[in-house]
Amino acid sequence: MTPTRTHTDILNAAGLTATDLAGGDLAVHSPIDGAEIARLRQTPAAQMPDIIARAQSAFKVWRSVPAPRRGELVRLLGEELRAAKDALGAVVTLEAGKITSEGLGEVQEMIDICDFAVGLSRQLYGLTIASERPGHRMMETWHPMGPTAVITAFNFPVAVWSWNTALALVCGNPVIWKPSEKTPLTALASMVAFQRALARFGDDAPEGLVQLVIGGPETGAALVESPAVAVVSATGSTRMGRIVGPKVAQRFGRSILELGGNNAMIVAPSADLDMAVRAIVFSAVGTAGQRCTSLRRLIVHNSIRAELVEKLKTAYATLPVGDPRDAGTLVGPLIDADSLARMLAALEQARAEGGQIYGGERCDAVAGGAYVTPAIADMPGQSAIVKTETFAPILYVMGYDTLEDAIDLQNDVPQGLSSCIFTLNLREAEAFLSAVGSDCGIANVNIGPSGAEIGGAFGGEKETGGGRESGSDAWKAYMRRATNTINYSAQLPLAQGVKFDI
Amino acid sequence: MTPTRTHTDILNAAGLTATDLAGGDLAVHSPIDGAEIARLRQTPAAQMPDIIARAQSAFKVWRSVPAPRRGELVRLLGEELRAAKDALGAVVTLEAGKITSEGLGEVQEMIDICDFAVGLSRQLYGLTIASERPGHRMMETWHPMGPTAVITAFNFPVAVWSWNTALALVCGNPVIWKPSEKTPLTALASMVAFQRALARFGDDAPEGLVQLVIGGPETGAALVESPAVAVVSATGSTRMGRIVGPKVAQRFGRSILELGGNNAMIVAPSADLDMAVRAIVFSAVGTAGQRCTSLRRLIVHNSIRAELVEKLKTAYATLPVGDPRDAGTLVGPLIDADSLARMLAALEQARAEGGQIYGGERCDAVAGGAYVTPAIADMPGQSAIVKTETFAPILYVMGYDTLEDAIDLQNDVPQGLSSCIFTLNLREAEAFLSAVGSDCGIANVNIGPSGAEIGGAFGGEKETGGGRESGSDAWKAYMRRATNTINYSAQLPLAQGVKFDI
Amino acid sequence: MTPTRTHTDILNAAGLTATDLAGGDLAVHSPIDGAEIARLRQTPAAQMPDIIARAQSAFKVWRSVPAPRRGELVRLLGEELRAAKDALGAVVTLEAGKITSEGLGEVQEMIDICDFAVGLSRQLYGLTIASERPGHRMMETWHPMGPTAVITAFNFPVAVWSWNTALALVCGNPVIWKPSEKTPLTALASMVAFQRALARFGDDAPEGLVQLVIGGPETGAALVESPAVAVVSATGSTRMGRIVGPKVAQRFGRSILELGGNNAMIVAPSADLDMAVRAIVFSAVGTAGQRCTSLRRLIVHNSIRAELVEKLKTAYATLPVGDPRDAGTLVGPLIDADSLARMLAALEQARAEGGQIYGGERCDAVAGGAYVTPAIADMPGQSAIVKTETFAPILYVMGYDTLEDAIDLQNDVPQGLSSCIFTLNLREAEAFLSAVGSDCGIANVNIGPSGAEIGGAFGGEKETGGGRESGSDAWKAYMRRATNTINYSAQLPLAQGVKFDI
Amino acid sequence: MTPTRTHTDILNAAGLTATDLAGGDLAVHSPIDGAEIARLRQTPAAQMPDIIARAQSAFKVWRSVPAPRRGELVRLLGEELRAAKDALGAVVTLEAGKITSEGLGEVQEMIDICDFAVGLSRQLYGLTIASERPGHRMMETWHPMGPTAVITAFNFPVAVWSWNTALALVCGNPVIWKPSEKTPLTALASMVAFQRALARFGDDAPEGLVQLVIGGPETGAALVESPAVAVVSATGSTRMGRIVGPKVAQRFGRSILELGGNNAMIVAPSADLDMAVRAIVFSAVGTAGQRCTSLRRLIVHNSIRAELVEKLKTAYATLPVGDPRDAGTLVGPLIDADSLARMLAALEQARAEGGQIYGGERCDAVAGGAYVTPAIADMPGQSAIVKTETFAPILYVMGYDTLEDAIDLQNDVPQGLSSCIFTLNLREAEAFLSAVGSDCGIANVNIGPSGAEIGGAFGGEKETGGGRESGSDAWKAYMRRATNTINYSAQLPLAQGVKFDI
């Protein structure tokens, strides 16, 4: 089935007008066919101070709006996203190249986090704590931090924004959003939904509560370097994080970094192989291997290695690569030609390091797009290229003999985002999840490394950057903690029994 | 009463032998009289890699020792500290110049955190979380991070180590401790107590579990820059933090920074003035104004300003400055002559900025020590010197008319550690503790800014560095969080309803 | 303004049809005018076993539906309640006699708890816990309990149901609802909204998930006594609780009891009297004094007693008593003539015990309704009638000299639901909230005892029954806790170091 | 090895004097040899009101002692128990008949809970909660409940007391302890240790903080029925709980019931059979089958049933039954002859219901004691006797074919305390732990049902009584929760947007 809606139809359906889409110098292309679909106005560098100042002013107001009332805005945003789900999903597909189901799934993730954040808005729990002094009360309260920059990447052009924004808003922080230069249209379309929510919400929301800035690294730098931006949540490459982290640290700001992943699956002898195959294929080729949590390394027990690789090749052989809008497509285009070039170079290096490559061939599903068949690289060991994150559908396969070896391989990369094991053996599964198991922020059993639910905290250590977003107590990253002691007695005892009588 | 024990008596009583105290090139002086009390061997730079490697090896073992068993070691440490309380307190007094009660209070703080950490050792609670997928279970587990560097300052030469070490050990991390070059003897004496605990603990503890390194900035740098040091907990100046933070961030390590404080008290018209005076004096002159939480700024309602300043002058006039070992002394020496020079320079600047100075005069309580009478600087406003943390007993006084103004003054400094208000007015107290109140990590009512209990989290935002230590969930800084999803079904549903059927 | 809609219009607008409203033998009257507004079919006793069995069957299905999916049903219920807010609020007014604003507020409370429960549906947090044994993992998981009976009272005919049902559903429990015989129509109307949500939700919900039973004590007894009803949540009188509690205890079921309150306010000398007066009037006469949290006892400092009583009399003098549908009305009818008789008898007793009565006069705002002017009973002390909960707008006033006396008076009644203090004095406020202060489940400062937010846990000790509903971790009452230890090692160590080698 | 210490030696070593042990009419016998070892004075019924009043007075003082200070008393108790471990363990063995290792293990459990409670004493965390109203703050605080009765059973004569007492004390509650009439001496000996701790603790502890009462059911009834006893924690039979629960409920007190268990193990085909055998034997015959968590039902997959039963018979054949003081003994005496008679009667019934009995023969290891060889009853199904808890070493064996059947068998008894599965299959283990798995309060994998760590909550649903003791948040049962809203604004907004303007 060939989609019949034009690119413009899709953008219009999401509320973007001709005025929105033209008049600037940032050319936006669809990875589907390489067509230019908009020329956007970028935010002039000179405006950044005003934008940040506006966020600061908004903060002074928003922090005093009760959190459950702030939650109501997020609830309305959730309603608007529900209403716009199809339209917004289609823009994700158009601009990021995701297949339809994944585009919709991304919007669903926005909706889910809104629901979750609404619940949080009546929680934001601190602690009351037993004090050692008579007539004293202790507690811990959480207060908003201030303006929050959200810097997002092309591969989750809207979900990551929503994770941050739903929480930041409920926590009392204004947001300044800098989307990837490759996916500003999904950002604009999301802001349309947000504006609708805002209009229904009424007067409690200050002007400048959520602002969108469009631009490149210097726009990001303005946010990263401003002492008035209390929190910088940045998703992207380790290279980017290595710049952002120290800069924010130097000005004693707070950063939430979600950087590279080089995610592995261990397949143990007892694994349900059919399930494993399905999980591997989805994790490795879904979103054309461009998820932070995409499966990149397969560590398979030597006793089943040959069989598993064979099954994978069979599965890969029939994977429909093509226009992501087509119902049958499972593998859409890479984001752009550079990305494809990096993939092909990586495969070249893998070959040089002894790998047997299967797939990884350029194909011309749609003219103008960077389409490629997903690749399997059967490797003699965890060589340099395997330890490198290449944002493309390459699956490196390695063998192992003991679980300890497998875990060593899993952990012996600089990144620490996601990981999993397929096994039906309880001892193996538990060992993998234990202190001596996976060193990743996400460690799963019998599901792939990607596709986290929003109820858990998302992120990882090492070069992944250490940030956590979404569920659990990730909201604390958007707030500051105050430890309070209240003396309601008429005495002044000192802690630790210190005596000091003047 | 003149102390009759010699410096050597005191050191010996804490278990330090002649061998410990001689043979090196780091001269240690007592601030009491400037006497050299030891010449310590410094850790050669060349040994640092081995020391770090030993910590890594220890980590591989210690992380598998069950946490309650790890807690047993900390419990034994607590017992040893109880037994050595007097001896260790005396070394604190000797080497850091604290009065006896404060020296003992610091050891008590070590004991308290051990008790607390023992309790934690059966908790380290993560969450189990409801999953959106049938036949799936989610949970969040916390695992040890790895070797933890603890870099401490002279003013709390042992308590801060114990905060970090008790938690790090229970959490499963080995520790490498670099004390201030000014207070290595308290560190050695604490290690004696730790070794006793270790001996009683038995075989489960690996070699190299807690290591002491003695040296200057380059020793610290070796820890800060090593990718094998998972956590760097550093207490000291903002200047130091501005170096450490970015360096650790660049290698994606984790830092816990406890840096400068410029702590204020607001005194409202309804305050119990007698209590306020006592609290002010203790907070401002205790530890000779050398606590991170020392009171430095007094923001007093104009209606009571004159009266309060008068009362303070009266109180200051009789403050016994002198040998900290004497029972009657409340103000001991500054740590060294440089410190005194910086204080006098600050007073000079305050005078230049329009301040009326009271006190701040050098006195020769004990020859060789840097003794000074605490100073009150009645200021026309929050000028540059007031916004600067000078680690000495200077109290800047400013007036205010409305609570909003007072809070603005309180917040308008780069530091964010501790703060308090004295008021009997509920609305004022609550406003001060609210989102529009103090921006500090510690905000108290009717007690001074210093003297936190170990049950709360200690630390603050802005130039204070953002770290949290001691109570509440500060232990999480020593662990990594893993989000786990376990699929025990025979199906492979995807989150957010994504469909991907191969 | 006279309402122009007929009773039937109102019921129809809420989705109730003529068939619903006729054909039975339970006559339902509006307290507004005493008119019979329906004749409902009661649930035959013989059907109760089937109904309970249906709930059990539903439980087997519902407990396996993932909690976030269960939350989706509650989210849809919230949407339906939003859509039906006016219609449902009007039925509350018609059937329970609440003024319009309170009728709407009650529906808003239903909406709020749905939002909150949706958030909970991705939480239901248990703990992971550090184990003392190597190769062991401990955790705590929460599972649904089973069928939950919800027995509600006339005064919150729908909100209390929603508190219980939103949580029970999210937790995995089916619900059987027995509303008060006086307010079955609001129950029917709420079920209409629920059925709409169910229809949108789709197939995951089993038949019999929420069932309504209509009847008297024997219907309730069938639920209370059935071992198949895992949880009994009952709101009503202490007399009822004294029957229900032991019966459920005898069969080892779980009960959540929300029983009597005899709620007090202490007014201290520093109180903002204007605020206090407004709070007192709302708390004492709102819902015609028929809230569980209605203010019944005023404990006022003797220095301001006369002034405060005078202000109250002035305020009471102009309180508009009348048809609750009229925009200006603040005091609607009592639920029925019996209630009025009990009020008048209580006033008689108060008089006999030395009270000076103001107000408390029957009036005929609308023919057929039990209208009365709210009463103030200025008492010489806390006599027998003051310790008795009379469900009507009587405010007993007593004086005090010291805060300790005031707190003693506050606590010296058998009930323990809600309480408050009006004071601007921090020490008094904190003392009131401390371990030596109020013994109630709710203790407020500068707001009245009624009108709790859903984010907190609602309930109290003593004759109030000890249950907690709504926010915080009240959800745990609907679940059972399992402590799990998983041994994934090949060893079998025993806890506490026990040796047992066979 | 024959013990050389006399009974009196053992009692004296634990601090019990001749005066303690004589002069009363309660004869205490050792189950080892039936010898009378003391004649204790019982608490006269007439004294109970005074004792309860003393606890109430103590409560007024103790609740105001800061919790960390209360924790210090518990810490000292832990130290005294460490010092008295051998002596107290020997009394447990003497009076309850436990083998030496188990006697010591029980004291270790007392020590562990003290450590844990000390940590809690700086926590007792409530929540701070986001309020929906501007200028309002919400929090949840926990306050002591009041006098706590602890009624313990013979089989854990001291550990259960310590669980309750360590928590109750830290929470601020005085304790009145009524031990089993069969084991009052361990209680006296524990009180000796407590008195030592008290003496070291100093003046903060009020008189009557922990009181011991000795007597039978009427002594217990005095506690159960007194409205002044806020909490009743009772461990014992379901029969007892069915009396206590309703009585406490009727007076709106709080009960913590730890009643019967009928604990099962499922052994799946993949189980590590050697581990399973060891776990079964320890769980079934440890403490002579007299633990609440003793294994009573073995549900074994039919494919391995014969093999497993054979292995068990082999293991049972060599189990050393005898004097519990002997180093080699694993099975000591039953508590008394009645207990033995009940065991034999149960075996008789099992036989009548089709069971094949192995073991269960009376033996005369030590004259005067009730010694018996542990029994295996291979049953055709879960007949009546299997569903009955007999407090003796009988292990009923049943077969199963599907895990679902096994779980149905596991759950199809009235009790709900402990349970476990032995399997290496992840899916089976997780299913067993899930909402459709075991309905017990304790559900383990690859360890037996007994021997819980104190870090988890201990207890279960159904006829087990629903109480939870020891770890996790079990401390909440000793405290009351207060939900506080503080309005620090000058406005009086109502929740849920209700308008009520007078």
Side-chain angles (χ1 to χ4, degrees), chain C residues 464-478:
Chain C
T464 301
R468 289 299 186 286
E469 294 177 333
S470 192
S472 184
D473 66 351
W475 60 269
K476 290 184 178 173
Y478 305 88

Side-chain angles (χ1 to χ4, degrees), chain D residues 165-183:
Chain D
T165 299
L167 295 197
L169 286 179
V170 157
C171 290
N173 297 353
V175 168
I176 305 173
W177 180 12
K178 194 203 96 53
S180 165
E181 294 162 270
K182 296 176 183 169
T183 53

Side-chain angles (χ1 to χ4, degrees), chain D residues 191-485:
Chain D
M191 288 299 287
V192 168
F194 180 73
Q195 294 299 339
R196 285 193 188 119
L198 211 50
R200 292 169 61 195
F201 180 66
D203 290 342
D204 286 353
E207 200 243 351
L209 185 56
V210 177
Q211 300 179 85
L212 182 70
V213 295
I214 291 181
E218 72 294 344
T219 309
L223 297 170
V224 167
E225 289 167 14
S226 168
V229 175
V231 181
V232 176
S233 175
T235 301
S237 67
T238 291
R239 194 188 51 75
M240 178 272 283
R242 215 183 286 276
I243 296 167
V244 168
K247 277 194 180 163
V248 175
Q250 191 143 30
R251 62 172 178 85
F252 296 112
R254 192 183 293 177
S255 41
I256 305 171
L257 300 179
E258 300 287 346
L259 311 174
N262 192 351
N263 317 292
M265 179 191 292
I266 297 171
V267 185
S270 68
D272 178 328
L273 270 198
D274 283 344
M275 269 179 66
V277 167
R278 279 182 291 138
I280 292 164
V281 175
F282 170 69
S283 308
V285 315
T287 323
Q290 298 172 114
R291 292 188 170 213
C292 348
T293 53
S294 284
L295 178 64
R296 310 206 177 284
R297 299 181 295 138
L298 190 65
I299 303 168
V300 54
H301 195 267
N302 283 325
S303 66
I304 54 168
R305 179 176 183 173
E307 179 187 0
L308 180 56
V309 170
E310 212 46 50
K311 281 175 187 277
L312 287 174
K313 286 183 183 169
T314 305
Y316 270 53
T318 60
L319 280 175
V321 179
D323 189 319
R325 295 168 297 182
D326 288 353
T329 299
L330 290 180
V331 184
L334 292 177
I335 188 67
D336 57 20
D338 285 357
S339 190
L340 178 53
R342 278 191 295 271
M343 173 172 172
L344 297 177
L347 290 175
E348 199 52 46
Q349 184 177 341
R351 215 171 265 118
E353 289 171 3
Q356 303 284 328
I357 311 301
Y358 177 86
E361 280 152 31
R362 176 158 198 159
C363 65
D364 296 309
V366 183
Y371 293 86
V372 65
T373 59
I376 297 169
D378 206 337
M379 303 297 295
Q382 192 153 270
S383 57
I385 191 63
V386 182
K387 295 190 181 186
T388 308
E389 181 189 25
T390 302
F391 225 57
I394 305 175
L395 180 67
Y396 300 102
V397 181
M398 295 165 285
Y400 79 88
D401 286 319
T402 70
L403 182 62
E404 204 181 341
D405 289 348
I407 290 173
D408 283 349
L409 280 171
Q410 142 64 33
N411 289 349
D412 189 25
V413 294
Q415 307 85 353
L417 182 52
S418 190
S419 61
C420 61
I421 189 170
F422 268 70
T423 181
L424 296 183
N425 182 306
L426 172 88
R427 286 177 179 164
E428 289 186 341
E430 293 284 346
F432 179 76
L433 300 180
S434 78
V436 302
S438 164
D439 66 359
C440 287
I442 298 172
N444 294 336
V445 176
N446 294 334
I447 58 172
S450 70
E453 299 185 21
I454 61 97
F458 182 91
E461 309 306 325
K462 303 199 299 188
E463 290 196 357
T464 301
R468 288 299 186 286
E469 295 177 334
S470 193
S472 184
D473 65 351
W475 61 268
K476 289 184 178 172
Y478 305 88
M479 303 195 88
R480 62 184 175 85
R481 177 203 311 246
T483 301
N484 307 130
T485 307

Side-chain angles (χ1 to χ4, degrees), chain A residues 75 82 123 137 430, chain C residues 75 82 123 137 430 488:
Chain A
R75 195 190 65 78
R82 276 186 171 86
Q123 303 185 334
R137 181 169 63 78
E430 294 284 345
Chain C
R75 195 189 66 78
R82 277 186 171 85
Q123 303 186 334
R137 182 170 62 78
E430 293 284 346
Y488 58 95

Side-chain angles (χ1 to χ4, degrees), chain B residues 258-280:
Chain B
E258 300 287 346
L259 312 173
N262 192 352
N263 318 292
M265 179 191 293
I266 296 171
V267 184
S270 68
D272 179 327
L273 271 198
D274 284 344
M275 269 178 69
V277 167
R278 279 182 291 137
I280 291 165

Side-chain angles (χ1 to χ4, degrees), chain C residues 71-361:
Chain C
E72 174 64 8
L73 174 57
V74 173
R75 195 189 66 78
L76 293 170
L77 174 58
E79 282 195 4
E80 295 299 333
L81 291 171
R82 277 186 171 85
K85 183 171 176 180
D86 286 344
L88 197 48
V91 180
V92 171
T93 293
L94 176 66
E95 191 180 42
K98 296 191 176 191
I99 63 172
T100 298
S101 165
E102 290 187 332
L104 293 173
E106 184 161 356
V107 183
Q108 186 59 46
E109 202 160 340
M110 302 173 82
I111 293 167
D112 289 348
I113 194 72
C114 287
D115 286 353
F116 184 76
V118 171
L120 276 183
S121 75
R122 289 185 182 271
Q123 303 186 334
L124 302 179
Y125 295 144
L127 300 176
T128 59
I129 302 175
S131 166
E132 75 188 48
R133 289 176 277 194
H136 284 57
R137 182 170 62 78
M138 282 180 71
M139 68 176 174
E140 180 170 274
T141 47
W142 291 87
H143 297 307
M145 279 293 285
T148 298
V150 179
I151 299 174
T152 56
F154 79 86
N155 64 327
F156 275 90
V158 288
V160 170
W161 168 72
S162 72
W163 288 1
N164 282 282
T165 299
L167 295 197
L169 286 178
V170 158
C171 290
N173 298 351
V175 168
I176 305 174
W177 180 13
K178 194 203 96 51
S180 165
E181 293 162 271
K182 296 176 183 167
T183 53
L185 295 174
T186 44
L188 281 170
S190 298
M191 288 299 287
V192 169
F194 180 73
Q195 294 300 339
R196 285 193 189 120
L198 210 49
R200 292 169 60 194
F201 180 66
D203 291 342
D204 286 352
E207 199 244 351
L209 185 56
V210 177
Q211 300 178 85
L212 182 70
V213 295
I214 290 180
E218 72 294 342
T219 309
L223 297 170
V224 167
E225 289 166 15
S226 168
V229 175
V231 181
V232 175
S233 175
T235 300
S237 67
T238 291
R239 193 187 52 74
M240 178 272 282
R242 215 183 286 278
I243 297 166
V244 168
K247 277 194 180 162
V248 175
Q250 191 143 30
R251 62 171 178 83
F252 297 112
R254 192 182 292 176
S255 41
I256 305 171
L257 300 179
E258 302 286 347
L259 311 174
N262 192 350
N263 318 292
M265 179 191 292
I266 296 172
V267 184
S270 68
D272 179 328
L273 271 198
D274 283 344
M275 268 178 68
V277 167
R278 279 182 291 136
I280 291 165
V281 175
F282 170 68
S283 307
V285 316
T287 323
Q290 298 172 114
R291 291 189 170 211
C292 349
T293 54
S294 284
L295 178 65
R296 310 208 176 283
R297 297 181 296 137
L298 189 65
I299 303 169
V300 54
H301 194 267
N302 283 324
S303 65
I304 53 169
R305 180 176 182 173
E307 179 188 0
L308 181 56
V309 170
E310 212 46 50
K311 281 175 188 278
L312 287 174
K313 285 183 182 168
T314 306
Y316 270 53
T318 60
L319 280 174
V321 179
D323 189 319
R325 295 167 296 181
D326 288 353
T329 299
L330 290 179
V331 184
L334 291 177
I335 188 67
D336 56 21
D338 285 355
S339 191
L340 177 54
R342 278 192 295 271
M343 173 173 172
L344 297 176
L347 289 175
E348 199 52 46
Q349 185 177 340
R351 214 171 266 120
E353 289 171 3
Q356 302 285 329
I357 310 302
Y358 178 86
E361 279 151 33

Side-chain angles (χ1 to χ4, degrees), chain A residues 47-71:
Chain A
Q47 281 185 15
M48 292 304 293
D50 281 355
I51 286 167
I52 294 171
R54 205 171 300 130
Q56 279 183 298
S57 300
F59 175 56
K60 300 275 185 197
V61 176
W62 192 239
R63 66 179 178 176
S64 289
V65 173
R69 177 81 184 124
R70 298 191 300 239

